[in-house]
């Protein structure tokens, strides 16, 4: 999952980015409102965390412009403004949630995960299932049947992305955009390498193959019975 963080305070931005990265998210940062608007207009993000008091363009105006363009990326407003009127205004402008600074990162992470679940409207929002493959987003555990599969953090994020797109071909570029950061070298074979390692763990010989390569297009996670 890919997050856009629009925050002008460098220390706060670094703290939040580190936390989300450790939780398996890819994070892009913008230091002012105009840069954040430009990046958000690409519509590549699964969720955005936006401060209100930003240079060049304040956060509320940024959100308002995105909503006018019908960009419906879930947005969490993060602000030191803590009155009821501030929170109401943040939500009325187009924010989907509002968290007051200072905050605990665990609460921020939980709220972002809740926004993602709501945006994807899943009946079992904390669990993804394809055939006998189960991924628990909250406990960060993966099972194939009764067997638990140990995955590294990036492998977990890659599998989560493939499972969220079950039955749809995802390109290498799409995977890089949602699982890796933009500073990732697009010429490297890191995606192919991670897919290979993921297959070795998920598609053991005794199980039906779920991760498929679509030549010239990308990858597909599907139970082809």
């Amino acid at each position: 999952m890919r997050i856009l963080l629009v925050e002008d305070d460098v220390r706060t931005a670094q703290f939040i980015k580190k936390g989300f990265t450790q939780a398996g998210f890819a994070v892009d940062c913008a230091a002012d409102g105009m840069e954040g608007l430009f990046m958000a207009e690409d519509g590549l993000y699964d969720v955005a965390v936006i401060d209100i008091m930003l240079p060049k363009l304040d956060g509320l105006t940024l959100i308002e412009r995105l909503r006018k363009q019908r960009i419906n990326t879930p947005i969490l407003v993060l602000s030191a403004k803590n009155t009821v009127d501030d929170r109401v205004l943040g939500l009325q402008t187009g924010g989907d949630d509002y968290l007051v600074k200072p905050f605990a990162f665990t609460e921020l992470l939980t709220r972002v995960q809740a926004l993602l679940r709501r945006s994807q409207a899943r009946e079992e929002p904390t669990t993804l299932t394809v055939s006998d493959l189960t991924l628990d987003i909250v406990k960060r555990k993966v099972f194939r049947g009764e067997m638990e599969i140990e995955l590294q953090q990036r492998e977990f994020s890659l599998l989560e992305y493939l499972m969220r797109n079950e039955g749809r071909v995802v390109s290498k570029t799409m995977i890089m955009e949602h699982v890796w950061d933009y500073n990732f070298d697009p010429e490297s074979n890191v995606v192919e390498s991670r897919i290979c390692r993921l297959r070795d763990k998920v598609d053991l010989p005794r199980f039906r193959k779920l991760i498929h390569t679509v030549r010239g297009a990308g990858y597909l996670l599907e139970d082809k019975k």
Side-chain angles (χ1 to χ4, degrees):
M1 297 290 104
R2 191 166 203 88
I3 293 178
L4 172 62
L5 172 62
V6 189
E7 169 63 63
D8 62 322
D9 184 84
V10 175
R11 291 185 63 184
T12 301
Q14 289 176 340
F15 168 73
I16 294 173
K17 181 174 182 178
K18 181 179 179 181
F20 278 127
T21 301
Q22 290 176 340
F25 290 88
V27 184
D28 293 324
C29 297
D32 62 66
M34 287 305 298
E35 183 183 14
L37 176 64
F38 177 76
M39 295 170 69
E41 285 176 335
D42 284 342
L44 296 175
Y45 296 97
D46 300 291
V47 66
V49 176
I50 300 176
D51 188 14
I52 289 181
M53 292 180 286
L54 295 166
K56 298 186 180 179
L57 183 71
D58 70 86
L60 293 181
T61 303
L62 191 167
I63 294 168
E64 191 173 35
R65 290 191 184 182
L66 291 176
R67 296 315 190 211
K68 284 183 178 177
Q69 296 180 59
R70 300 187 182 280
I71 295 173
N72 296 317
T73 304
I75 295 174
L76 184 146
V77 180
L78 189 63
S79 177
K81 293 188 172 184
N82 61 1
T83 68
V84 172
D85 288 344
D86 291 328
R87 297 196 294 271
V88 169
L89 182 60
L91 298 174
Q92 287 179 335
T93 302
D96 298 287
D97 196 1
Y98 194 110
L99 183 60
V100 175
K101 297 178 181 178
F103 59 92
F105 180 77
T106 51
E107 182 178 4
L108 174 60
L109 176 62
T110 301
R111 285 175 180 247
V112 164
Q113 290 172 330
L115 283 180
L116 287 168
R117 291 198 299 272
R118 290 205 296 271
S119 69
Q120 293 165 0
R122 292 182 179 276
E123 294 181 358
E124 296 291 340
T126 63
T127 304
L128 303 176
T129 303
V130 177
S131 184
D132 58 353
L133 176 65
T134 303
L135 182 147
D136 189 317
I137 297 169
V138 175
K139 295 180 180 178
R140 303 192 72 76
K141 290 181 177 293
V142 175
F143 291 88
R144 189 80 198 257
E146 300 295 325
M147 185 187 78
E148 183 171 358
I149 300 171
E150 298 289 340
L151 296 181
Q152 294 180 2
Q153 181 176 293
R154 192 70 71 183
E155 294 167 348
F156 185 94
S157 299
L158 176 56
L159 181 62
E160 179 183 351
Y161 183 65
L162 292 173
M163 293 182 73
R164 287 184 185 277
N165 289 278
E166 177 195 359
R168 290 187 290 180
V169 176
V170 292
S171 68
K172 178 180 172 182
T173 299
M174 292 167 66
I175 292 173
M176 287 192 296
E177 289 174 346
H178 286 267
V179 181
W180 271 268
D181 289 326
Y182 276 130
N183 58 8
F184 164 74
D185 178 6
E187 298 301 322
S188 78
N189 65 349
V190 67
V191 172
E192 291 89 339
S193 175
R194 292 285 182 163
I195 286 284
C196 183
R197 290 167 61 177
L198 192 58
R199 276 194 175 120
D200 289 342
K201 295 181 178 181
V202 173
D203 285 341
L204 294 174
R206 60 181 153 140
F207 295 117
R208 190 158 49 232
K209 185 177 179 181
L210 295 178
I211 302 173
H212 310 276
T213 299
V214 181
R215 185 169 297 180
Y219 300 96
L220 170 71
L221 192 146
E222 185 177 51
D223 184 11
K224 295 183 177 180
K225 296 179 180 178

